[in-house]
Amino acid sequence: MQNLILYSLSNFIPETILVVTIIVCIIADLIIRKKSFAVTFVAIVGLVLSFVFVVKQWGLSMSIFSGMLAIDNYAVFFKLLFIISTLFILLFVETSKEMKTASHKNEHVYLILSLTTGAYLMASSVNLIMMYISLEMVSLTSYILAGYLKKDKRSTEAAIKYIIYGAASSGIMLYGMTLIYGYTATMNINEIFLYLSKNPITDTPVLLASVIMISAGFGYKISSVPFHFWTPDVYEGAPIPITAFLAVTSSAAGFSVLVRFFLVGFANTEIITAVKWQEVIIVFSIASMIIGNFVAVWQTSLKRLLAYSSIAQSGYILLGLAVVNSAGLFAVILYLSAYLFMNLGAFYVTILIHNKLGTDNMDEMDGLGYRSPFIGVTMAVFMFSLAGIPATVGFIGKFYIFSALINTNSPNLTWLAVVGLLNSVVSLFFYVKVLKHMFLNKPEKPLPELDYGYANILITLLLAVPTILFGLYFTPLLRLAENSIKIFGLN
Amino acid sequence: MEQLSKILYENILTILIFIPIIFSLPLLFLKKQSEKFIKIYSLLLSLIVFIFSLFLFLKFNPDVEGYQFIVKYKWISFLNADYHIGIDGISLLLIMLTTFTIPLSILISWQSVNKRIKLYYFMILILEGSLIGVFSSLDLLLFYVFWEFILIPMYFMIGIWGSEERVYAAVKFFLYTMIGSVLLIIGVIWLVYSCMEKDMFLNAENALRKFTLDITQLDKISPFLQPQRQILLFLLFTIGFLIKIPLFPFHTWLPDAHVQAPTAGSVILAALLLKMGTYGLLRFSVPLFPVAFLTLTPYLAVLAVVGIIYGALVSIVQKDMKKLVAFSSVSHMGFIVLGITALTQEAVQGSVIQMVNHGLSTGALFMLVGMLYERRHTKEIAQFGGIAKVMPVYAGIFLVVSLSSIGLPGLNGFIGEFLILLGAFGSQNLKSIYYSVFSATGVILSAVYLLWMYQRVFTGPVDKDENKNLKDIGKIELACLIPVLIFIVWIGVRPNTFLHKSEKSVNKIILQFKNAEIINKTRNTIDINNSVFREEK
């Protein structure tokens, strides 16, 4: 027993490093007692160290802590994604004026790191209990972060709304888990799969109900319709760096566990025909795309627009899951990597705009493309990428999602590809609307040019360059994705 | 030196694509004050590209069947997508048209565009690069990337430098073409996967063994796909092209985009972007899906004829000169589609040369209307009258260009339209002479709308005071029009210079089509035999 724990701990180093970093950050914060980059720096060092050890886990395939967590390439991929996004978010916070108005000093650093730790656990959990606990860990820190500007009414309101929705959906999820446990007498998803594939499935309504209930928990994390109601308000109310963090890390973590839950626990033709979860995912996906895209058209706030765009993007990613084969999963992984760069980029440009204008209302952005050509051009890159125009990484993501849909015959999902692509035409309308404000609309009176520091420009370029580069040459991403999904053994 | 010229010779297409794209980037970092330098720099750049393309034109061997100047590098090994470019005679003519039109559209903007000129010339130049890319890609993914990328500069061209309703027109243009593109990408993916499915073919040996996007391979296989699948794929591909052409009833974005775009935008749109649609038809829809094309020919041809007559009729009643020219485009593009559906040597050759003709004549018409607009700030026909007395040179050029658009023998329009009508008349594919007969009325109607407009604008007394002091055509304006006039006459008198280049390529497309038709006919009989056999069992 002791050996097992020691063995598990030796493969738990990346998480341990993060936890230690959190403690060091807290102590440092207590000693320094004022706003300081030192705390952030400690966090960055911790993340980089953790990165090194995560990379070392590449190629391993094992389960630790008696089947609670899995160490595999799939988890490693997500951990890398979380590290990169957390690094960016820490930099975002440093350059955001909004965050400086907070009455707290350095608390955000270790809150962000705790969320990342939770996300790590989500990506590697293979046990329902572990899934629930890690999901709650992510949620709890997100509530605090969403209400970080406690003097700002909207931020506090966002936090409260978030808690209510979060509590309700994780409650529902827990209930769904008990149903599954009642049915299969196990919490481990590998064992659930074994049980379901060996025994004839009799009570399909129970299983279907539990699957839908569990999806409520995951669906709320990835902000998929019909569990999306919190998204626009929280995205709007929370400080923008935090919004970006929720949109990328928290949502990717949701996908990591959702995909693992379904593709490990239920990926078998008989189970799919009996439980019909594929249909459930398809319905969620179509609803997310349609509601996300169509409601986004009417938004005037850039943050709300990006919120609805996130809902729609979740819909596209769910399409990849709905295919239930390796090509679909491949596309999901690819889309999430694309999503990391383009969505963080879009949010960072929003931060930069907010720094100067103090608002994210798009009517105020008329002519912004000329006031700061850099902002205009990079925003164009991110918007076109989100819309899936070629020569950007967003196109690659969509291309693979739709090729997976077209190249499957059981059942024929080509119609779904058509629905998705027509939706992306709608999405183009509102993404281009942002650019329309920046370039085509004339401001009422001439406004001064905006200057941005080198740090801001550098961070933006770190996101914009991969967005284009991976759009033109994406073989590295493909190799990464190919290796990440091998453990699922899908065909 | 010799090696250098060899490298140059082998990579000439790559150079043509990337010179305008790469060398337009420095423009963005120039100071705003250096207006003159920006203009001269972009003009020189486009002229250099034109000179390189002349080299391409001269070195192109019209007697070789298939693609020339092929370059192939690995791009994305996972998809077997390559950087694969090469041209045949049809692409050659369109590339020449592109490199010829771009310097002119830079010149025409010399005085009229004063707003954000860095960005403006940057957009024109990257448009040029991507257009050459579209006309030379032999890889479907590469083609799609260029095809789709063109939307972005064009959207900004219309949206930033257009007239009052520009934003509406730009968004409409973007969304319309995007719907087409989205269908196209589904078509591309589905085509490749269909070619890999064994039961899509009568002879399973035909099926593709590995994923490829190379059209020189695909067009050997996909003609033998099951007819039903072919029809679906054909529609996915073709609707995108038809929107771009635009064929009636997909044309509604065109008048808005044309009227709102700046002069150079209209010229590029009419001369080049519309050709992407007809080029797509010839390069992809016909060779890849012959059976579907055969089945759907009547529908396409009817739409083309309706487009010819409808476009002409609507042109007649226009009050705005630019709108009139825009609708005449719908009519002229109808001729090109009719020629393609006829699929005889004469008709398709006519279509190819008509693509060039339409680019020249309509482009020139847009330039001329733009010049008048700059002087009077109106495009309304009723505001003019007797202009010929005030601007004699301008009036003369306008008359020549109008006549070329109408199809007067001796000028370029006649060659194209005559070949198309001749080909359509005897076409086995169309099976009826009525297409030809009805579309011939389009020629008469085009005389009606253009000459009537000419009469109202240029003849009669000068009854408006504002028109009395209009300046005649200037030097720069003349420099834009003279090259066009030269080619208008050249094609009219000696079309063989150009027809000769595309002869083999057109022939190849028709032969491919015929072969596929024969094989599919035998397949039908086999299919019937099989079913009879099964029933007997």
Side-chain angles (χ1 to χ4, degrees):
Chain A
M1 189 65 199
Q2 206 178 3
N3 274 345
L4 261 180
I5 291 178
L6 281 178
Y7 170 75
S8 300
L9 275 179
S10 70
N11 286 301
F12 198 59
I13 298 175
E15 288 84 353
T16 320
I17 292 176
L18 280 193
V19 173
V20 171
T21 316
I22 292 171
I23 295 168
V24 174
C25 284
I26 294 177
I27 295 170
D29 186 28
L30 288 175
I31 296 168
I32 299 173
R33 288 181 148 209
K34 59 175 189 236
K35 279 205 171 79
S36 160
F37 185 70
V39 184
T40 310
F41 184 73
V42 171
I44 291 176
V45 171
L47 279 170
V48 172
L49 266 179
S50 173
F51 181 87
V52 174
F53 283 94
V54 169
V55 172
K56 275 192 174 172
Q57 287 180 345
W58 183 259
L60 297 181
S61 179
M62 58 171 83
S63 84
I64 55 172
F65 295 118
S66 39
M68 279 289 176
L69 296 175
I71 308 287
D72 47 32
N73 284 352
Y74 177 77
V76 170
F77 166 80
F78 275 98
K79 286 175 191 172
L80 294 179
L81 194 139
F82 298 144
I83 293 172
I84 296 171
S85 99
T86 311
L87 282 172
F88 273 113
I89 297 298
L90 287 173
L91 296 175
F92 286 10
V93 173
E94 283 304 310
T95 49
S96 156
K97 269 194 186 157
E98 203 182 4
M99 288 297 276
K100 294 206 172 73
T101 62
S103 50
H104 309 279
K105 293 176 199 85
N106 297 311
E107 282 89 338
H108 63 268
V109 177
Y110 39 87
L111 285 173
I112 287 174
L113 282 188
S114 328
L115 201 155
T116 312
T117 317
Y120 266 37
L121 295 175
M122 271 172 94
S124 42
S125 51
V126 282
N127 184 297
L128 293 182
I129 291 287
M130 195 63 219
M131 283 178 178
Y132 174 73
I133 291 175
S134 50
L135 193 124
E136 278 298 277
M137 183 169 174
V138 170
S139 301
L140 285 173
T141 30
S142 339
Y143 304 149
I144 307 174
L145 281 170
Y148 195 69
L149 306 174
K150 68 177 178 192
K151 284 179 187 155
D152 183 351
K153 257 189 192 167
R154 287 197 309 171
S155 178
T156 318
E157 186 194 329
I160 297 289
K161 275 189 184 159
Y162 202 7
I163 292 179
I164 295 172
Y165 273 111
S169 34
S170 48
I172 295 173
M173 177 167 104
L174 212 49
Y175 192 66
M177 285 176 174
T178 57
L179 283 181
I180 287 227
Y181 181 69
Y183 193 89
T184 60
T186 173
M187 282 286 182
N188 188 305
I189 49 172
N190 290 310
E191 286 165 21
I192 291 175
F193 178 69
L194 282 180
Y195 181 88
L196 290 178
S197 45
K198 279 190 184 143
N199 300 299
I201 301 169
T202 46
D203 292 321
T204 43
V206 174
L207 275 177
L208 185 62
S210 75
V211 162
I212 294 178
M213 282 171 163
I214 291 178
S215 309
F218 301 145
Y220 132 88
K221 267 262 122 356
I222 62 171
S223 48
S224 131
V225 175
F227 317 107
H228 68 289
F229 294 100
W230 62 276
T231 317
D233 292 331
V234 172
Y235 274 35
E236 198 189 8
I240 312 172
I242 302 305
T243 312
F245 197 39
L246 296 181
V248 177
T249 306
S250 166
S251 148
F255 273 110
S256 72
V257 65
L258 173 72
V259 168
R260 203 193 275 271
F261 176 75
F262 280 113
L263 293 191
V264 173
F266 297 84
N268 176 318
T269 334
E270 286 134 41
I271 304 177
I272 294 171
T273 39
V275 183
K276 297 209 174 17
W277 63 268
Q278 195 181 14
E279 276 90 334
V280 174
I281 298 287
I282 290 177
V283 170
F284 286 172
S285 150
I286 294 180
S288 303
M289 286 190 296
I290 290 178
I291 290 181
N293 282 324
F294 278 88
V295 181
V297 170
W298 316 112
Q299 301 306 317
T300 51
S301 147
L302 187 51
K303 272 160 90 182
R304 280 187 90 87
L305 184 140
L306 286 173
Y308 282 105
S309 126
S310 299
I311 296 174
Q313 305 275 351
S314 299
Y316 296 125
I317 304 176
L318 283 179
L319 285 180
L321 174 61
V323 185
V324 203
N325 62 18
S326 66
L329 182 55
F330 185 82
V332 169
I333 297 283
L334 213 57
Y335 204 103
L336 281 170
S337 339
Y339 189 66
L340 169 77
F341 293 110
M342 57 197 187
N343 224 20
L344 279 183
F347 274 109
Y348 190 59
V349 176
T350 315
I351 292 175
L352 293 182
I353 295 171
H354 193 279
N355 278 355
K356 297 282 179 187
L357 303 185
T359 171
D360 65 322
N361 190 325
M362 289 200 288
D363 293 328
E364 305 276 319
M365 293 179 197
D366 289 352
L368 196 83
Y370 305 114
R371 295 172 69 190
S372 168
F374 179 77
I375 291 290
V377 171
T378 45
M379 193 61 160
V381 170
F382 297 128
M383 288 295 129
F384 284 131
S385 182
L386 282 167
I389 304 271
T392 59
V393 68
F395 168 66
I396 308 306
K398 286 224 170 88
F399 181 85
Y400 272 92
I401 294 262
F402 295 122
S403 12
L405 283 171
I406 290 169
N407 188 30
T408 179
N409 281 327
S410 52
N412 192 343
L413 293 175
T414 311
W415 63 275
L416 207 51
V418 177
V419 172
L421 278 164
L422 289 180
N423 256 295
S424 71
V425 177
V426 178
S427 79
L428 189 76
F429 181 78
F430 63 82
Y431 289 126
V432 165
K433 197 173 114 183
V434 179
L435 302 178
K436 190 190 105 182
H437 278 285
M438 289 183 144
F439 287 101
L440 308 192
N441 288 9
K442 267 204 184 127
E444 281 163 14
K445 52 180 189 290
L447 294 162
E449 292 193 359
L450 303 176
D451 283 324
Y452 286 99
Y454 288 113
N456 295 337
I457 290 180
L458 184 72
I459 297 174
T460 319
L461 282 182
L462 279 178
L463 291 162
V465 170
T467 306
I468 295 178
L469 214 60
F470 284 136
L472 293 173
Y473 185 75
F474 42 95
T475 311
L477 282 185
L478 300 179
R479 290 210 188 288
L480 186 68
E482 193 191 26
N483 286 315
S484 307
I485 61 166
K486 274 187 186 152
I487 52 130
F488 286 92
L490 296 162
N491 45 14
Chain B
M1 199 58 210
E2 217 167 76
Q3 250 187 333
L4 188 76
S5 66
K6 196 176 164 230
I7 291 171
L8 205 69
Y9 177 78
E10 278 168 0
N11 291 304
I12 178 90
L13 276 175
T14 313
I15 294 170
L16 281 178
I17 295 172
F18 288 102
I19 279 190
I21 293 179
I22 291 171
F23 286 93
S24 63
L25 287 174
L27 277 180
L28 291 179
F29 300 100
L30 286 172
K31 282 219 176 80
K32 265 187 200 148
Q33 287 77 8
S34 44
E35 267 187 35
K36 192 119 202 193
F37 178 75
I38 294 171
K39 288 175 183 170
I40 292 175
Y41 177 85
S42 4
L43 181 65
L44 279 181
L45 197 59
S46 63
L47 284 177
I48 290 172
V49 176
F50 179 63
I51 290 166
F52 272 116
S53 70
L54 277 182
F55 177 77
L56 188 75
F57 188 77
L58 296 175
K59 291 281 175 188
F60 182 86
N61 185 352
D63 301 324
V64 174
E65 214 173 72
Y67 298 99
Q68 300 179 37
F69 301 100
I70 293 176
V71 176
K72 193 172 180 180
Y73 296 113
K74 281 257 164 295
W75 177 28
I76 307 295
S77 47
F78 266 78
L79 289 171
N80 294 317
D82 299 317
Y83 174 76
H84 187 187
I85 50 175
I87 54 167
D88 65 357
I90 302 166
S91 339
L92 175 79
L93 289 181
L94 289 172
I95 289 174
M96 292 309 294
L97 184 66
T98 310
T99 57
F100 175 76
T101 311
I102 296 290
L104 298 183
S105 47
I106 289 177
L107 258 184
I108 195 80
S109 322
W110 208 261
Q111 281 151 347
S112 56
V113 175
N114 301 310
K115 189 167 84 166
R116 316 198 186 289
I117 56 168
K118 282 196 294 188
L119 205 59
Y120 182 78
Y121 291 107
F122 173 72
M123 293 293 175
I124 292 191
L125 288 169
I126 55 173
L127 252 175
E128 175 169 30
S130 337
L131 274 164
I132 299 174
V134 163
F135 293 136
S136 56
S137 302
L138 295 180
D139 182 278
L140 280 170
L141 190 67
L142 192 68
F143 171 80
Y144 186 76
V145 168
F146 282 125
W147 167 277
E148 189 72 339
F149 188 74
I150 284 175
L151 281 183
I152 298 172
M154 203 59 214
Y155 167 76
F156 284 114
M157 280 278 276
I158 301 174
I160 299 180
W161 295 276
S163 33
E164 297 79 33
E165 296 282 304
R166 58 178 181 273
V167 177
Y168 167 76
V171 173
K172 193 170 178 181
F173 162 76
F174 207 141
L175 289 182
Y176 256 77
T177 24
M178 188 68 188
I179 291 176
S181 313
V182 156
L183 297 176
L184 178 63
I185 190 73
I186 302 180
V188 167
I189 299 170
W190 204 17
L191 165 69
V192 182
Y193 283 126
S194 303
C195 286
M196 288 166 73
E197 275 172 53
K198 289 211 172 87
D199 46 351
M200 275 293 133
F201 298 93
L202 193 64
N203 182 357
E205 290 288 297
N206 277 337
L208 208 57
R209 278 186 197 82
K210 64 175 190 183
F211 196 95
T212 180
L213 290 150
D214 182 349
I215 67 155
T216 52
Q217 282 186 45
L218 285 173
D219 69 2
K220 293 195 184 83
I221 299 164
S222 78
F224 310 112
L225 282 170
Q226 274 180 7
Q228 271 175 334
R229 179 64 64 90
Q230 261 194 52
I231 288 177
L232 282 174
L233 287 169
F234 178 82
L235 286 176
L236 286 172
F237 268 75
T238 311
I239 288 175
F241 298 143
L242 294 188
I243 291 176
K244 204 88 175 183
I245 289 175
L247 192 66
F248 178 88
F250 304 105
H251 66 283
T252 49
W253 63 270
L254 182 97
D256 286 303
H258 265 317
V259 172
Q260 300 305 329
T263 303
S266 301
V267 173
I268 295 176
L269 199 58
L272 307 173
L273 261 69
L274 306 190
K275 305 304 173 307
M276 286 162 61
T278 40
Y279 174 77
L281 270 185
L282 263 181
R283 170 71 68 244
F284 300 105
S285 298
V286 178
L288 289 176
F289 317 110
V291 180
F293 186 73
L294 198 66
T295 326
L296 296 175
T297 293
Y299 302 97
L300 272 178
V302 165
L303 284 183
V305 174
V306 171
I308 293 171
I309 297 171
Y310 169 86
L313 286 177
V314 177
S315 288
I316 295 177
V317 297
Q318 291 306 315
K319 296 191 174 93
D320 180 302
M321 291 164 83
K322 214 171 177 185
K323 237 182 182 156
L324 187 147
V325 181
F327 273 107
S328 82
S329 271
V330 177
S331 177
H332 284 124
M333 295 307 283
F335 272 106
I336 300 177
V337 176
L338 182 73
I340 295 173
T341 52
L343 220 69
T344 55
Q345 179 77 22
E346 299 85 27
V348 179
Q349 277 280 48
S351 286
V352 173
I353 202 76
Q354 186 67 5
M355 287 190 214
V356 179
N357 291 338
H358 176 257
L360 295 171
S361 311
T362 309
L365 277 177
F366 274 121
M367 288 188 210
L368 286 161
V369 173
M371 291 169 191
L372 207 53
Y373 177 74
E374 268 162 51
R375 288 172 169 73
R376 276 284 274 114
H377 296 285
T378 176
K379 291 168 289 196
E380 211 181 314
I381 297 173
Q383 290 291 328
F384 299 100
I387 299 295
K389 293 197 183 75
V390 201
M391 305 167 70
V393 182
Y394 176 83
I397 296 177
F398 202 108
L399 186 62
V400 176
V401 175
S402 301
L403 290 175
S404 106
S405 186
I406 293 165
L408 185 80
L411 297 176
N412 62 351
F414 173 72
I415 308 294
E417 279 170 9
F418 179 72
L419 281 173
I420 292 171
L421 291 176
L422 183 75
F425 201 83
S427 160
Q428 290 183 335
N429 198 28
L430 287 176
K431 296 190 188 75
S432 156
I433 59 165
Y434 288 105
Y435 296 108
S436 203
V437 171
F438 278 113
S439 43
T441 58
V443 182
I444 301 163
L445 289 171
S446 79
V448 174
Y449 60 77
L450 277 168
L451 290 182
W452 193 35
M453 170 176 81
Y454 188 84
Q455 182 200 339
R456 282 179 290 169
V457 173
F458 291 94
T459 58
V462 191
D463 47 5
K464 297 258 181 339
D465 285 342
E466 300 93 328
N467 293 339
K468 282 189 178 141
N469 294 319
L470 290 179
K471 261 195 215 140
D472 205 351
I473 204 157
K475 274 181 203 151
I476 295 178
E477 292 166 334
L478 213 52
C480 299
L481 291 169
I482 298 258
V484 182
L485 288 178
I486 292 175
F487 280 100
I488 283 178
V489 178
W490 189 340
I491 298 179
V493 179
R494 256 201 82 75
N496 255 1
T497 329
F498 305 95
L499 284 174
H500 181 53
K501 294 275 181 192
S502 60
E503 202 179 326
K504 280 267 162 159
S505 317
V506 168
N507 211 351
K508 191 185 149 208
I509 289 177
I510 292 170
L511 265 182
Q512 261 180 333
F513 181 80
K514 290 263 157 65
N515 288 341
E517 204 187 331
I518 293 164
I519 292 175
N520 276 302
K521 260 186 196 150
T522 50
R523 159 155 102 179
N524 284 345
T525 51
I526 293 170
D527 275 356
I528 293 163
N529 289 346
N530 281 350
S531 57
V532 170
F533 181 64
R534 259 182 240 124
E535 275 165 24
E536 279 172 5
K537 243 182 178 177

